[in-house]
């Protein structure tokens, strides 16, 4: 399993939720690698079309090894707060750089997932400071198409409104427990697919 922390705020609300989901997953025996996007060097996609013939990105930065992680993982926890109705710039830069994997799949007709026949599943963890009913719609559209490109089944979203101050999620009556359970359930769901 891979956990991706997409917030620029260290120890912020999505970090807390991601950590709980990871605790749940490890309690079920999962081995989890956490990637903190804010600490990495990930340039935005330049649309140079360098990937069109090879499926490989020409920019030499941390996305090179993240591509490998994304292709090899069985389970994904993607965590990003809502910034201006979308995912954070750090998260979007990573997603856009997966254009090389889009090329692999749709242009070169090659497998994106390394390790044939495995079910890959992913959960989106997100929250925002406001309470709007459509708060997660644009980010969800992005995340779902990202998962689809990577052949990852969208297993659901752990989404919370009206969480703004750093650490406010800890005051939520159910969020931490929900995150722990979601991590557990994701591992169990994938185990069920293998039976
Ligand atoms: C640049 C920026 C844009 C934001 N845009 C939104 C928004 O569109 N809708 C919303 O509900 N909250 C918005 N927020 C609030 C964050 O989603 C909120 O503070 C969240 O708890 C941050 O999560 P974190 O602690 O994991 O970074 C924004 C915050 C920042 C800094």
């Amino acid at each position: 399993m891979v956990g991706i922390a997409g917030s620029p705020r260290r120890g912020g609300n999505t970090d807390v939720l991601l950590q709980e989901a990871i605790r749940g997953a490890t309690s079920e025996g999962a081995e989890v690698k956490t990637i903190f996007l804010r600490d990495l060097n990930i340039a935005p996609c330049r649309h140079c079309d360098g990937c069109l013939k090879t499926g490989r990105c020409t920019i030499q930065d941390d996305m090179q090894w993240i591509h490998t992680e994304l292709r090899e993982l069985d389970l994904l926890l993607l965590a990003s707060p809502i910034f201006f109705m979308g995912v954070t710039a750090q998260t979007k830069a990573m997603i856009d750089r997966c254009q090389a994997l889009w090329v692999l799949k749709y242009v070169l007709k090659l497998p994106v997932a390394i390790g044939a026949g495995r079910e890959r599943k992913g959960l989106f963890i997100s929250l925002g400071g406001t309470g709007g009913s459509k708060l997660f719609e644009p980010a969800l559209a992005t995340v779902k198409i990202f998962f689809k490109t990577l052949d990852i089944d969208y297993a659901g979203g752990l989404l919370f409104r009206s969480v703004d101050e750093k650490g406010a999620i800890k005051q939520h009556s159910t969020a931490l427990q929900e995150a722990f359970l979601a991590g557990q359930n994701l591992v169990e769901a994938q185990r069920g697919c293998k039976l």
Side-chain angles (χ1 to χ4, degrees):
M1 175 184 280
V2 171
I4 298 182
S7 171
R9 186 151 73 169
R10 196 177 304 278
N13 296 313
T14 46
D15 274 14
V16 170
L17 281 183
L18 178 63
Q19 201 177 19
E20 280 303 300
I22 289 172
R23 269 195 345 109
T26 52
S27 78
E28 285 293 317
E31 280 180 32
V32 187
K33 177 166 191 169
T34 311
I35 298 172
F36 294 94
L37 297 179
R38 60 179 167 261
D39 296 332
L40 302 177
N41 180 21
I42 301 174
C45 173
R46 296 175 189 152
H47 201 172
C48 66
D49 282 340
C51 60
L52 260 185
K53 289 202 171 105
T54 62
R56 290 208 201 95
C57 185
T58 58
I59 305 173
Q60 295 302 318
D61 61 11
D62 285 308
M63 260 328 278
Q64 295 294 338
W65 64 263
I66 293 176
H67 278 148
T68 306
E69 293 290 342
L70 290 172
R71 296 183 69 188
E72 289 183 350
L73 62 81
D74 52 359
L75 296 171
L76 174 62
L77 297 170
L78 176 62
S80 169
I82 299 299
F83 275 17
F84 281 89
M85 294 303 283
V87 294
T88 60
Q90 289 81 354
T91 309
K92 189 60 162 55
M94 177 204 66
I95 290 174
D96 287 354
R97 289 285 299 286
C98 287
Q99 177 68 1
L101 302 184
W102 185 94
V103 166
L104 261 191
K105 180 174 180 173
Y106 294 110
V107 179
L108 304 177
K109 314 282 184 205
L110 293 170
V112 171
I114 300 171
R118 281 181 315 153
E119 295 279 341
R120 286 150 58 87
K121 292 185 183 299
L123 188 77
F124 180 45
I125 298 172
S126 188
L127 43 79
T130 63
S133 63
K134 296 187 179 198
L135 179 59
F136 299 104
E137 281 185 16
L140 272 173
T142 302
V143 167
K144 284 181 180 174
I145 202 70
F146 171 60
F147 280 16
K148 185 171 184 231
T149 301
L150 267 60
D151 284 335
I152 294 172
D153 288 340
Y154 176 70
L158 198 59
L159 313 172
F160 297 95
R161 294 176 170 81
S162 305
V163 183
D164 207 2
E165 295 301 315
K166 186 175 181 181
I169 196 68
K170 293 179 190 163
Q171 313 308 322
H172 193 285
S173 57
T174 60
L176 270 56
Q177 197 182 10
E178 284 183 55
F180 185 88
L181 286 173
Q184 277 191 325
N185 289 341
L186 194 63
V187 177
E188 278 172 14
Q190 205 232 9
R191 209 173 272 150
C193 288
K194 279 183 182 163
L195 296 176

